[in-house]
Amino acid sequence: RQSSLDAIKSGVQTAKKRLSGRRSAAWIEKMTVDGVLYYYNPATEKVTYEKPDELKTDEERKEIAGEWVWVRDEKEVWLPGRVIKKETNDTLRVEIKGRGTKQLTRHVKNEPLWPVSLSSLNRLEDDMVLLDDLNDAMMIHDVKERYKKDQIYTWVGASQTVLVSINPFKRLPIYGIQMMNEFARPAPNKILPPHPFSVANSAYIRLRIQA
């Protein structure tokens, strides 16, 4: 009987490995028109921005495992921290990479402890309304990371009437005659980045229509 049970267990484990291999092979990396990586599984027709578990290495699984929250930081303003222990419902012990651990209590010293998905941090949006979570930490993260790529303008809302601008403290090649023409006569199949030229062109079109 024991040998039969062992044989069954072995068969189940082998079947799981084969199934896992098929799922892993089924996932396909794709890219959106604006350069965002996502994953598609033609077998299940599932689409996700987060890297599927079947494609993650053991190191990646270990690194992102657990519950994560936003933690205030004097230098960076907000940093993601891993919850390593829940003292109470509102008191957590959090580990911040490279900065040790600290005990935090929700809403004390302006610590809302908003939850954060690490996969969301890799997906920057040129319109903050499209962020997974609309909180101060996620919005600042989006603007800050875009700023590092010299993407100093960010929309707030699909109407494209509110534009966040960050001073780059350097010259950027985004204000020439060619750029003006691109926004004055936008191509129907091209997505233009957030820019004050877009606001100006929209205002000009409205003036012509309403005049």
Side-chain angles (χ1 to χ4, degrees):
R1 289 182 180 179
Q2 186 61 44
S3 59
S4 298
L5 288 174
D6 291 340
I8 292 172
K9 289 180 180 178
S10 177
V12 170
Q13 290 174 353
T14 301
K16 284 183 176 179
K17 288 181 180 178
R18 288 177 179 172
L19 180 59
S20 176
R22 289 173 185 172
R23 289 175 177 172
S24 175
W27 286 104
I28 301 173
E29 285 189 2
K30 288 182 172 290
M31 197 80 69
T32 63
V33 292
D34 51 347
V36 179
L37 181 68
Y38 70 97
Y39 300 88
Y40 171 65
N41 190 323
T44 61
E45 296 188 347
K46 184 178 180 181
V47 177
T48 178
Y49 285 109
E50 188 169 357
K51 192 174 184 179
D53 289 337
E54 294 88 349
L55 300 182
K56 294 175 185 173
T57 64
D58 292 339
E59 185 176 344
E60 286 176 324
R61 292 192 191 96
K62 183 179 180 181
E63 184 177 350
I64 67 173
E67 180 183 354
W68 292 76
V69 295
W70 285 109
V71 180
R72 281 194 177 275
D73 183 77
E74 291 184 3
K75 181 180 179 182
E76 301 293 338
V77 187
W78 296 100
L79 285 173
R82 190 204 309 262
V83 177
I84 56 177
K85 186 178 181 181
K86 289 188 176 183
E87 307 287 353
T88 66
N89 287 336
D90 290 325
T91 302
L92 310 174
R93 181 162 292 279
V94 178
E95 177 187 28
I96 304 173
K97 189 175 182 180
R99 306 200 179 199
T101 64
K102 59 166 62 176
Q103 184 169 300
L104 304 171
T105 301
R106 195 183 307 273
H107 302 307
V108 174
K109 295 183 179 179
N110 294 320
E111 287 287 1
L113 298 178
W114 294 304
V116 56
S117 170
L118 293 190
S119 62
S120 299
L121 303 184
N122 299 323
R123 191 169 68 256
L124 304 179
E125 300 288 358
D126 61 9
D127 183 349
M128 284 193 278
V129 171
L130 300 177
L131 293 171
D132 288 348
D133 299 295
L134 277 177
N135 53 54
D136 293 1
M138 198 67 193
M139 293 169 71
I140 290 175
H141 169 81
D142 187 64
V143 172
K144 182 171 66 175
E145 294 302 313
R146 285 175 56 78
Y147 177 83
K148 292 178 181 178
K149 299 179 178 181
D150 288 337
Q151 298 170 349
I152 61 172
Y153 298 116
T154 307
W155 291 122
V156 182
S159 63
Q160 297 186 354
T161 55
V162 179
L163 184 68
V164 176
S165 174
I166 307 294
N167 190 340
F169 295 99
K170 63 180 179 181
R171 292 184 180 274
L172 295 175
I174 56 174
Y175 305 105
I177 297 298
Q178 181 180 349
M179 185 67 72
M180 291 176 63
N181 290 332
E182 283 190 25
F183 281 91
R185 304 175 184 83
N189 60 343
K190 183 177 181 180
I191 299 176
L192 294 173
H195 200 286
F197 287 171
S198 179
V199 178
N201 190 55
S202 296
Y204 173 69
I205 291 173
R206 288 193 184 96
L207 283 172
R208 292 192 61 181
I209 294 173
Q210 297 173 5

